[in-house]
Amino acid sequence: MNKKMAIFDDFRTNKKYDVSMLSEIGKRESQQDAAYVAANDDMVLAILCDGMGGKNGGALASKTAVEAFLDFFSVYSRSDQEFNCSWTKTSVEQIDDIIYNLRDKEGNRIDCGCTLVAVMICKNQLHWISVGDSRLYIIRGNEIVQVNTDHNYVYELNRKLRNHEIDMKTYNANLYKKDALISFIGMGGLTMMDISNEPFNLLKDDVVLLCTDGLYRAVNQDEICKIVETSCDMEKACIRLSYEIQCKAIKDQDNATYILIKRG
């Protein structure tokens, strides 16, 4: 996707990380997810976005966000700075502005957006950033942990309930809009962002999973963990996850995109 990413080799040839990615349209009319992954024996970069805002708007938002993130990374990677994620917060804030200001041919704002979750692995240290409700998991043995937060309305409802700002009746009355995003790329001023203040040390055989909601709303965490744990490699795991989604036969199955990265 980006010719500037010359520091990476084909991820299928690296020996240190077992990496695989799969993206499928589901039962939707268009694919609004966009993703990119690259790796060598020293580093891994992965990003995925889930677009929203109509057939063309959502696809444009996610594609533009991925390409902009890669451009920012390319500039950073050519610098002499020690590897850290200090550049990601500023980059994502600027990408939010880029998506917010997307225009059609008549000059009207398109009003589209997307989620974003990205990871950078350097010397087995995992760094991440996310906005929206695409997820980041770490799988270690038979345990799976969601690393980031879903930036949706149920998060706000839970916060208000904990702080006694609403009662249970009000909570239940508003659950119908629980999946509405309260922070996303393209809103023109992010309200929430998850970012790793300190890197997470990956152990041998740890698996990192990035995915859009098309996966985790169809296949639960325990099922995901079992499939990954019992697969001989990450390509097989991706294929089995795809098969599991198909077996669920969900009437309006969303686009599903997922990236698996296993430390060797």
Side-chain angles (χ1 to χ4, degrees), residues 18 22 24 139 141-144 207 209 215-216 218-248 258 260 262:
D18 179 3
L22 194 150
E24 48 195 335
I139 301 170
N142 60 0
E143 294 186 23
I144 181 170
V207 176
L209 166 63
L215 173 64
Y216 69 75
V219 186
N220 67 45
Q221 292 187 19
D222 290 340
E223 291 170 328
I224 292 172
C225 187
K226 184 176 181 180
I227 287 171
V228 171
E229 183 192 8
T230 57
S231 295
C232 59
D233 56 49
M234 294 304 95
E235 182 178 3
K236 293 290 194 305
C238 279
I239 293 169
R240 290 177 63 192
L241 287 172
S242 177
Y243 178 73
E244 189 69 21
I245 291 173
Q246 294 173 37
C247 288
K248 300 291 184 179
Y258 33 101
L260 285 166
K262 182 176 183 178

Side-chain angles (χ1 to χ4, degrees), residues 32 51-59 61 110-114:
Q32 298 192 47
M52 55 192 179
K55 178 178 179 180
N56 296 321
I110 295 178
D111 192 22
C112 58
C114 64

Side-chain angles (χ1 to χ4, degrees), residues 1 7 35 105 122 155 214 221 223 240:
M1 181 181 289
I7 64 168
K105 293 180 180 179
C122 182
Y155 175 90
Q221 292 187 19
E223 291 170 328
R240 290 177 63 192

Side-chain angles (χ1 to χ4, degrees), residues 100-112:
Y100 179 80
N101 288 299
L102 285 174
R103 307 277 170 169
D104 61 20
K105 293 180 180 179
E106 287 72 40
N108 301 310
R109 197 169 70 82
I110 295 178
D111 192 22
C112 58

Side-chain angles (χ1 to χ4, degrees), residues 54-121:
K55 178 178 179 180
N56 296 321
L60 177 63
S62 58
K63 179 176 181 290
T64 302
V66 169
E67 291 179 343
F69 190 89
L70 295 178
D71 284 339
F72 282 115
F73 179 81
S74 181
V75 171
Y76 170 82
S77 65
R78 292 199 301 268
S79 72
D80 295 326
Q81 303 175 62
E82 182 180 352
F83 188 87
N84 60 66
C85 275
S86 61
W87 60 276
T88 56
K89 182 177 185 294
T90 301
S91 299
V92 167
E93 288 172 343
Q94 292 184 54
I95 294 169
D96 173 58
D97 288 336
I98 291 170
I99 304 304
Y100 179 80
N101 288 299
L102 285 174
R103 307 277 170 169
D104 61 20
K105 293 180 180 179
E106 287 72 40
N108 301 310
R109 197 169 70 82
I110 295 178
D111 192 22
C112 58
C114 64
T115 67
L116 180 149
V117 58
V119 302
M120 290 69 62
I121 302 172

